[in-house]
Amino acid sequence: MESTACFRRYTGGFLSSVWLILLLAIFLQNCGTGLSDSSYLIGLGSYDITGPAADVNMMGYANMEQTASGVHFRLKARAFIVAEPESEGNRVVFVNLDACMGSQLVTIKVLERLKSRYGGLYNDKNVAISGIHTHAGPGGYLQYVVYIVTSLGFVRQSFDVVVDGIEKSIIQAHENLRPGKLFVNKGDLLDAGVNRSPSAYLNNPASERIQYKYNVDKEMTLLKFVDDEWGPVGSFNWFATHGTSMSRTNSLISGDNKGAAARFMEDWAEQEGFPKVIEKIQADAFEPRREKDQLPRRVSSIIPKPHEDFDSLIKLASSFGASGGRRLTSSSSVVQQIRSSQQNKPKFVSAFCQSNCGDVSPNVLGAFCIDTGRPCDFNHSTCNGKNELCYGRGPGYPDEFESTRIIGDRQFNKAVDLFNTATEQVEGKIDYRHTYLDFSQLEVTLPSKQVVKTCPAAMGFAFAAGTTDGPGAFDFQQGDEKGNPFWRLVRNLLKKPGKEQIACQQPKPILLDTGEMTEPYAWAPSILPIQILRIGQVVILCVPGEFTTMAGRRLRNAVKTVLTSSSSGEFNDNVHVVIAGLSNTYSQYVTTFEEYQIQRYEGASTLYGPHTHSAYIQEFKKLASALAGQHSVPSGPQVPDLLDKQIGLLPPVIMDATPFGVKFGDVGADVPENSTFKRGGVVNATFWSACPRNDLFTEGTFSLVEIFKKSNKKWLPAYDDDDFCLRFKWSRPRQLSSYSHATIEWRIPEDAPSGVYRLRHFGASKSLFGSISHFTGTSRAFVVL
């Protein structure tokens, strides 16, 4: 009896211990990211950088007629900081901009502000600022002449909002630094990019091309940020496709496909409840998003449940007429009511960063002639010899907004999949290397041991031909290796290139000798930054331009070879090397030597001659060797600060006015009386307005959709400028007129609940004496069934 009882006590205690261990193991599996030791300190932040939504030429297509006149959705600066937990440990900062590219002048001024605030903690060595390459953002924020000609020179308002937004996003990330972990994942996204210059790609050696399945990079690499207390707080990914889903005729400010993808993923994260206390995370929260799911909505939590009594809705709506314009005491903060309030926890930040996109187009259906509908000429991308007729088609053709949504949604879906399945933890040192190089006269030793040099910057004739994403004008063609006498004569009026420069740039026929043009100040950069950021086994190569697919592959492979063959043993074959394009400054394109010979648009835009790419590989190998061997590198020549030399010719807003008896904010064209709309329909109203340059409404909104909550008889904000479904369009009845109109256009989402809605406009008017007054107005109410 006693032995049996003893056995029972023993086995009972043993089984209890087993159950305790099993329960503890399950708990640790679900919550382990919050209980185990932290790998790093992580912090994320984001801030509005939407520039002037009127009169300013957009950066990217160099189309003088493409000036901003409204907002598709707002632009953001998104930043992450990763720091070693030791007080003296290294840290890196990466900022992703919903802007066309990084700017040397922006970088200089951001670093000055960071130095003033944090001392030497953040500097040019450990801070990288990269652009997504949207072609639908205001220009005028770069410092070299050739990049601000179409914007009528420097636009201080464009510049200031970008600098301010970057600084504030970094401040947020710094103040949010908390113990956490990073995970890395990668996978192929097959239907978001095609090669727009395949004839140039085919000039690369067949033995090299056969190593790759596709003629563009299909791989997306994603970093997942997990806070020890709050769980997932963000993700940054790198994938190569151009920001040209929106065409050269679009005039609404937009983050294009990558900005849209970021918006979708941040909406998705809020819908999922991220960030949230780690103990509350359930396994089913990480299930992959189903294809049939609708795009998430950021504001779903404040929308009341659908009404069922449609007759009462129609009667209720008829009782609300247009409000008429009224003055506001200050810029309204009403938008804050619909932005997530996360005062006691980090906010989820998701960035879709650019990579080696030089020859990658999101117009995946191919390039066709708009006159015949037939495919364009393969070698020159022309139609009957004219480049103006050859356009790429996006998946939503002919609707560029739909193409933007589709390509953004494809990137978003892939990012969610990689986010949910990321298991490889990032571990290891934080480190960085950075230097400035004069690319106008860099000696390069080729693999054959031949020593060559780069050239002062110059752009070829094919540059003016544009691409299938945005064709040029006149009689220029891609693939032009000769040029023509007329345009040479025009060129010579500006600057005739010398024999040495012509020989150096061969076979490029020089259209603009920008590197040797210095009046009224430098037309193109000569001193460029190159940079490597290391976060454990993730290595980010920050390049100041647009590398083509094969140029990027060669650079990544060269750096990986140096790292993995180093005697330090710091890296193995599992190192993840990614390219962050358009970083810190902008110097146009980088092709391989072989692609340069073809002189498509990308080759003609490779500024520093045929050996530009070899120079990058040589110098990045030096940085990689220094990183692996823990050696320092020289800082290089001083980069110029040309702020004091900038010239801006954009006329200021003189004044705004309305006709006699009309107030700012009054409705000019209202929603039809007693109207009802179905989901998928379009509602719009036009208001008497003022120039959006008077107030950018940073972190605010020009347009709002409100829903009436019957229980407390209040209008609640539902959708604003930051929503993909709402468009703000601004116009003048005549050029130079002081009158203007704002049209708010709402495409009703399929998941919008039934109810009573109205449209609201916010604006700011300028008097003849320069004072700014804010105003608002609403449309009459309508019903969504």
Side-chain angles (χ1 to χ4, degrees), residues 667-705:
V667 177
D670 207 348
V671 178
E673 193 172 358
N674 298 324
S675 56
T676 61
F677 296 88
K678 293 182 179 180
R679 298 169 186 85
V682 179
V683 188
N684 56 64
T686 299
F687 300 82
W688 285 96
S689 191
C691 185
R693 290 161 59 195
N694 296 326
D695 188 332
L696 301 184
F697 283 82
T698 302
E699 290 287 295
T701 190
F702 291 105
S703 53
L704 197 62
V705 176

Side-chain angles (χ1 to χ4, degrees), residues 544-614:
E546 304 173 60
F547 276 57
T548 61
T549 298
M550 195 63 84
R553 288 168 174 169
R554 290 184 190 176
L555 178 62
R556 288 197 304 263
N557 291 340
V559 169
K560 184 173 182 178
T561 298
V562 170
L563 295 177
T564 55
S565 62
S566 170
S567 59
S568 67
E570 284 283 320
F571 299 92
N572 56 38
D573 286 339
N574 195 41
V575 62
H576 302 273
V577 181
V578 298
I579 290 175
L582 306 115
S583 293
N584 300 321
T585 192
Y586 184 61
S587 59
Q588 294 179 242
Y589 283 74
V590 180
T591 64
T592 66
F593 177 84
E594 294 85 354
E595 290 166 348
Y596 186 90
Q597 308 305 308
I598 302 301
Q599 282 297 294
R600 296 272 301 196
Y601 173 84
E602 295 81 11
S605 303
T606 296
L607 294 183
Y608 308 103
H611 303 296
T612 301
H613 182 243
S614 297

Side-chain angles (χ1 to χ4, degrees), residues 4-5 21-22 45 142 170 186 218 221 232 239 259 271 273 293 349 361 416 464 467 517 617 629 661 685 702 715 774:
T4 303
I21 292 170
L22 286 174
L142 288 89
I170 293 174
K186 58 187 180 183
K218 301 289 188 180
T221 301
F239 177 77
Q271 197 173 61
D293 292 346
V349 178
S361 170
V416 169
T467 71
M517 299 166 70
I617 289 180
F702 291 105
W715 289 97
H774 293 85

Side-chain angles (χ1 to χ4, degrees), residues 123-134:
N123 51 66
D124 56 359
K125 296 177 177 59
N126 66 352
V127 175
I129 303 172
S130 176
I132 63 170
H133 211 37
T134 174

